[in-house]
Amino acid sequence: MSYDVVVIGSGPGGYVCAIKAAQLGLKTAIVEKRATLGGTCLNVGCIPSKAMLHASEVFHEAGHSMAALGVNVGKPKLDLKAMLAHKDATVKANVDGVAFLMKKNKVDVFTGAGKIAGAGKVVVTGDDGKDENLETKNIVIATGSDVAGIPGVDVDIDEKIIVSSTGALELAKVPENLIVVGGGVIGLELGSVWQRLGANVTVVEYLDTILGGMDKSVSKQFQKMLEKQGMNFKMGAKVTGIEKGKSGAEVTFEPAKGGDAETLKADIVLVATGRKPYTENLGLEEAGVKLDDRGRVAIDGHWKTNVDGIYALGDVVVGPMLAHKAEDEGMAVAEILAGQKGHVNFDVIPSVVYTEPEVASVGKTEEELKSDGVEYTAGKFPFTANGRARAMLATDGFVKILADKKTDRVLGVHIIGKGAGEIIHEAAVLMEFGGSSEDLARTCHAHPTMSEVVREAALATAFGKPIHM
Ligand code: FAD
């Protein structure tokens, strides 16, 4: 078989690259070792987690906030089996959708583990052990990432008692106590799911703030909100051991700055300490493809590895491990392979935490601007002063806008609030076009909407004063 492009890995980076390459007239194949297409994101990541986040949020609302709106449904009864079935059906619809798109775009799909056997050669080994040899002008490595362990700690993730995100999406019953090791996006999202369903959740985090890398004012306020919801935090805590017992497990940790160790017991421990690039058994060493100092496939500014004809993108390369970043890279690489000028603006990649309320941000944090020595103005507006938020009993949170002091160009937008993950895109579009806070402040926003808070924050940034406060 001879191709213009063979993509290894069918996550959002790989499958989007394959579709775009085929749309641009390249003869394209995709290789996936999992039985279904869609990668981590569709099978065990973004999609199933959002199905569980939504369902658990509805359950929680039914038991907590609906009565205040005059909707009294009594004490809701959890049918976890049905909730998990909803999640599985959502995953199936999405992975089937990708299979359909492959057919529609005439991308050949090979099921099996892909290995690079030199530039222009990929061997696919199926479950039956049989090899298929593909010849291609270009190879795109889109093999994604895998669960990272805890540095220096030997953990046996059995996906039953000590689980990764994959096991945490399939718990057969609600744990009484859940310990989440790692206060990043995945840990907080999945911790929220099980807390809403009734678990007592404790997050053990090495750093002093959750969501490391987020704007500090956001992460501090967000932690307070989660604490108000009942989530417990052990901050600045270094996990030194996780021991499985007859039922449940024990997590031992000590202050990161030194001090006495503490041990907590739980029925389930979720290890959510991050993900590592997946480069195993790909034949990279034999093909001479270099990795960078963090084990990612090393690429230049155009996603090309050090070997001609071999490209890499998504979680396996530098940059935020996000599905939409991988997708954008997928499109850009396909365009480059088709002789066009593919490009991704890494300054405008939104990032969202799909808890309740949601947290969303795009661009620079205040801490980054300070350390880069950029002079900026900041404007902030709370959802408490927004009519729609009051009507929806969703007054938690704020919008914060950071703009260049001289040019007023918006450099970063940070939101905590209901629907923040949708609202953030008006900031992303504005920033993509190099817009200013005054542009945003002068843009008519429909009333009453949560998005009016963005405009009020822009008024505060551009003119020093919002209207409704
Ligand atoms: P992946 O999606 O990891 O896909 C890589 C594929 O390559 C896999 O299917 C793998 O089986 C295959 N593969 C690997 N090696 C080979 C080989 N040798 N041969 C054949 N196939 C191979 N991101 C977001 O943006 N939003 C979210 O809400 C979000 N939620 C998440 C929730 C969880 C619980 C997790 C774990 C992740 C989440 N992410 C989210 C991150 C997101 O899933 C990743 O950033 C995204 O999947 C990366 O895409 P990718 O194409 O690089 O790789």
Side-chain angles (χ1 to χ4, degrees):
M1 287 287 193
S2 182
Y3 291 94
D4 293 316
V5 192
V6 171
V7 181
I8 306 178
S10 73
Y15 87 72
V16 167
C17 182
I19 290 173
K20 188 76 186 174
Q23 286 174 347
L24 293 172
L26 302 176
K27 189 164 164 47
T28 307
I30 194 160
V31 184
E32 172 56 57
K33 63 178 183 169
R34 212 186 277 268
T36 50
L37 302 176
T40 304
C41 179
L42 273 62
N43 288 280
V44 291
C46 328
I47 296 300
S49 63
K50 267 78 245 177
M52 290 301 285
L53 276 155
H54 177 70
S56 62
E57 176 55 20
V58 172
F59 175 76
H60 189 262
E61 272 181 8
H64 290 78
S65 50
M66 277 190 186
L69 296 170
V71 184
N72 213 324
V73 292
K75 194 174 182 307
K77 195 168 158 261
L78 175 66
D79 183 347
L80 182 58
K81 235 173 145 183
M83 202 178 270
L84 293 171
H86 158 68
K87 174 211 61 167
D88 292 340
T90 310
V91 168
K92 183 164 177 350
N94 279 276
V95 299
D96 287 353
V98 175
F100 165 77
L101 289 173
M102 292 301 128
K103 270 202 193 106
K104 185 180 172 207
N105 288 285
K106 300 189 173 51
V107 174
D108 289 347
V109 176
F110 292 89
T111 305
K115 193 167 180 175
I116 301 172
K121 287 191 171 64
V122 174
V123 181
V124 185
T125 309
D127 275 352
D128 55 6
K130 283 195 187 128
D131 284 349
E132 214 158 345
N133 295 302
L134 311 181
E135 304 239 323
T136 176
K137 288 185 193 134
N138 298 289
I139 296 169
V140 177
I141 301 167
T143 48
S145 60
D146 200 0
V147 173
I150 307 174
V153 181
D154 192 18
V155 197
D156 169 24
I157 296 182
D158 62 0
E159 300 295 9
K160 297 238 160 357
I161 289 173
I162 303 178
V163 298
S164 71
S165 54
T166 303
L169 286 163
E170 302 203 318
L171 301 182
K173 68 177 206 190
V174 179
E176 206 176 315
N177 291 295
L178 169 70
I179 295 177
V180 179
V181 181
V185 181
I186 293 176
L188 296 178
E189 285 186 357
L190 295 177
S192 295
V193 165
W194 294 107
Q195 189 190 316
R196 288 169 193 167
L197 299 181
N200 176 34
V201 176
T202 303
V203 176
V204 183
E205 166 58 48
Y206 181 82
L207 299 174
D208 289 328
T209 48
I210 54 172
L211 299 176
M214 272 263 176
D215 194 274
K216 285 274 180 297
S217 65
V218 171
S219 53
K220 274 189 199 146
Q221 170 107 8
F222 183 50
Q223 186 180 335
K224 280 189 199 143
M225 288 174 176
L226 291 175
E227 278 166 347
K228 217 168 119 196
Q229 291 173 14
M231 202 177 269
N232 308 299
F233 289 91
K234 297 281 181 185
M235 302 303 294
K238 180 182 170 189
V239 169
T240 52
I242 304 180
E243 288 297 324
K244 218 181 312 178
K246 272 199 196 121
S247 65
E250 282 188 355
V251 176
T252 306
F253 51 92
E254 58 189 38
K257 292 174 185 143
D260 293 341
E262 206 181 314
T263 297
L264 280 182
K265 279 191 187 157
D267 327 47
I268 303 285
V269 176
L270 163 60
V271 178
T273 42
R275 298 182 61 84
K276 56 176 189 215
Y278 189 78
T279 55
E280 281 156 40
N281 303 321
L282 253 181
L284 294 185
E285 217 175 285
E286 298 88 322
V289 175
K290 285 195 183 133
L291 302 184
D292 67 15
D293 56 347
R294 291 171 64 180
R296 304 170 291 208
V297 177
I299 48 167
D300 66 11
H302 297 96
W303 297 275
K304 193 171 107 38
T305 68
N306 60 308
V307 178
D308 283 346
I310 304 184
Y311 294 76
L313 56 85
D315 276 12
V316 81
V317 302
V318 64
M321 286 183 166
L322 291 170
H324 41 284
K325 175 260 193 189
E327 286 184 46
D328 281 22
E329 290 186 325
M331 281 191 272
V333 169
E335 285 171 339
I336 289 169
L337 295 179
Q340 300 182 0
K341 304 221 178 310
H343 170 75
V344 176
N345 180 2
F346 288 99
D347 288 335
V348 186
I349 295 187
S351 116
V352 179
V353 190
Y354 296 84
T355 42
E356 187 55 48
E358 290 182 348
V359 182
S361 76
V362 60
K364 301 282 184 196
T365 65
E366 217 166 330
E367 291 71 35
E368 283 172 329
L369 292 179
K370 277 185 190 143
S371 84
D372 292 349
V374 177
E375 286 196 293
Y376 62 92
T377 40
K380 204 170 163 186
F381 197 83
F383 282 97
T384 38
N386 174 269
R388 184 70 184 278
R390 284 197 201 115
M392 290 165 51
L393 295 183
T395 50
D396 277 350
F398 60 80
V399 174
K400 173 168 145 181
I401 297 179
L402 305 167
D404 187 287
K405 196 166 186 174
K406 280 193 211 91
T407 65
D408 192 33
R409 185 180 177 141
V410 172
L411 302 172
V413 176
H414 306 277
I415 308 175
I416 310 184
K418 191 168 193 67
E422 301 291 341
I423 301 171
I424 196 71
H425 294 103
E426 73 166 299
V429 172
L430 178 94
M431 288 170 68
E432 191 62 47
F433 284 89
S436 64
S437 74
E438 187 175 341
D439 289 329
L440 200 46
R442 291 189 186 280
T443 301
C444 184
H445 281 63
H447 174 76
T449 56
M450 299 289 274
S451 300
E452 284 174 290
V453 176
V454 177
R455 188 197 202 173
E456 293 280 358
L459 283 160
T461 317
F463 308 122
K465 281 195 177 83
I467 297 292
H468 288 92
M469 216 169 63

